[in-house]
């Protein structure tokens, strides 16, 4: 069997806060009203070597802790690092003036990464508010490809139809053409909204389920083991300061914690070298556990994060 190359992160993703104005059924973040500490995160960034190239922001809803984003953006710029994405529901603002003001603060601080908008039936945003958010972002950054949409496919056929209709309506409101590149069976793929000024891809992904959820185990085939290159090779800093070695939802398990943001980069990497799950995910491969755990599994899963979550849970 092919062996992984090991854990060599290139990015930090900060879960700015666990607070959110939405309570989506497909989200596994536990909301405990915790915000990340700005100064500890600045110090942690300063301890990182050049192989940490990018900074991203997640949550909760990151724009509910705007001071953190603004300060970390400034630190990132000062260290000549690059940005990944700010993942947002686009629906956190109470007025258009607030929306404009907050986005302008991030722009003025120097953020030149992407903004990933989560938009689907799980979030339930009003179309007119999403249109306002998108138009405001485009006006401030004046960059046609600044945004992308990340959309989760519901199990409910009616919700799937509703989502597709909403993307048609969104395209109409933005005066965009629509191009579909979707798998006919699963609905997974890309919907492209585009005109001369806007390039807005919508990435439709299948809903993930936790490892103890029977819905995760209905596949006819096993996941493709990529040694967690997909959701991995990042330092994911949870809102409580715990650090995990990936951004997949299984990173909520303590078995994947490799330290806290109060430690420095060298300490975190030393912790990672002694973490059993890091070795399984990045060196041996999660698929190697399939045969070992065969009698404990309720079926097959093609979701590597669900399998990782399962392995973490039976390790308790």
């Amino acid at each position: 069997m092919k062996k992984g190359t090991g854990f060599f992160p290139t990015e930090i993703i900060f879960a700015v806060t666990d607070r959110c104005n939405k309570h989506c059924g497909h989200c596994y973040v536990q909301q405990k009203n915790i915000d990340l500490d700005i100064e500890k995160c600045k110090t942690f960034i300063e301890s990182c070597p050049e192989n940490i190239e990018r900074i991203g922001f997640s949550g909760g809803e990151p724009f509910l802790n705007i001071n953190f984003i603004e300060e970390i953006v400034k630190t990132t710029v000062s260290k000549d690092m690059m940005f990944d994405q700010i993942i947002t529901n686009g629906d956190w603002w109470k007025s258009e003036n607030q929306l404009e003001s907050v986005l302008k603060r991030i722009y003025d601080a120097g953020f030149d990464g992407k903004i990933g908008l989560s938009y689907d039936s799980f979030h339930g945003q009003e179309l007119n508010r999403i249109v306002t958010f998108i138009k405001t972002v485009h006006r401030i950054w004046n960059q046609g490809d600044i945004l992308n949409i990340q959309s989760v496919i519901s199990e409910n056929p009616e919700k799937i139809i509703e989502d597709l209709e909403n993307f048609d309506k969104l395209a109409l409101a933005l005066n965009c053409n629509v191009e579909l590149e979707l798998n006919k069976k699963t609905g997974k793929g890309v919907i492209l909204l585009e005109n001369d000024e806007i390039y807005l891809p919508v990435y439709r992904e299948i809903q993930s389920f936790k490892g103890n959820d029977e819905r995760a185990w209905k596949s006819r085939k096993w996941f493709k083991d990529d040694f967690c290159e997909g959701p991995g090779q990042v330092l994911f800093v949870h809102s409580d300061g715990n650090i995990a070695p990936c951004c997949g939802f299984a990173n909520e398990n303590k078995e994947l914690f490799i330290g806290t943001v109060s430690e420095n980069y060298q300490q975190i990497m030393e912790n990672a070298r002694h973490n059993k799950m890091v070795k399984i995910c990045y060196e041996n491969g999660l698929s190697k556990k399939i045969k070992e755990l065969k009698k404990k599994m309720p079926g097959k899963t093609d979701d590597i994060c669900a399998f990782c979550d399962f392995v973490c849970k039976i390790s308790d």
Side-chain angles (χ1 to χ4, degrees), residues 127-228:
L127 179 66
N128 66 310
R129 287 179 59 82
I130 292 303
V131 171
T132 298
F133 178 79
I134 291 172
K135 287 184 176 180
T136 305
V137 168
H138 277 283
R139 184 174 67 255
I140 291 173
W141 270 268
N142 193 28
Q143 181 183 331
D145 63 348
I146 181 70
L147 275 159
N148 64 77
I149 293 177
Q150 300 175 17
S151 181
V152 177
I153 302 167
S154 172
E155 287 189 297
N156 185 334
E158 293 181 2
K159 294 295 184 181
I160 294 174
I161 294 171
E162 179 184 316
D163 277 347
L164 295 177
E165 289 176 346
N166 281 337
F167 288 123
D168 283 336
K169 292 175 183 176
L170 181 60
L172 183 63
L174 297 173
N175 195 29
C176 286
N177 297 316
V178 182
E179 184 178 334
L180 302 179
E181 297 179 9
L182 300 176
N183 182 294
K184 291 183 179 179
K185 278 190 175 181
T186 65
K188 183 177 178 179
V190 181
I191 302 171
L192 181 58
L193 311 185
E194 187 176 19
N195 60 28
D196 291 338
E197 297 178 347
I198 295 176
Y199 181 87
L200 180 55
V202 179
Y203 300 107
R204 292 281 280 167
E205 294 290 341
I206 297 170
Q207 182 180 1
S208 288
F209 300 101
K210 287 189 174 183
N212 57 3
D213 189 323
E214 63 179 15
R215 292 173 295 179
W217 299 92
K218 293 183 178 180
S219 180
R220 294 184 177 182
K221 60 181 181 180
W222 284 106
F223 58 88
K224 181 181 178 181
D225 197 340
D226 64 351
F227 298 91
C228 296

Side-chain angles (χ1 to χ4, degrees), residues 88-120:
T88 177
N89 61 42
D91 198 29
W92 43 266
W93 44 281
K94 295 180 179 179
S95 70
E96 291 187 32
N97 285 339
Q98 182 199 17
L99 173 62
E100 179 93 20
S101 173
V102 168
L103 293 178
K104 193 71 165 53
R105 282 175 64 181
I106 301 306
Y107 175 81
D108 289 342
F111 181 79
D112 61 358
K114 302 290 186 182
I115 295 178
L117 172 61
S118 297
Y119 179 48
D120 48 45

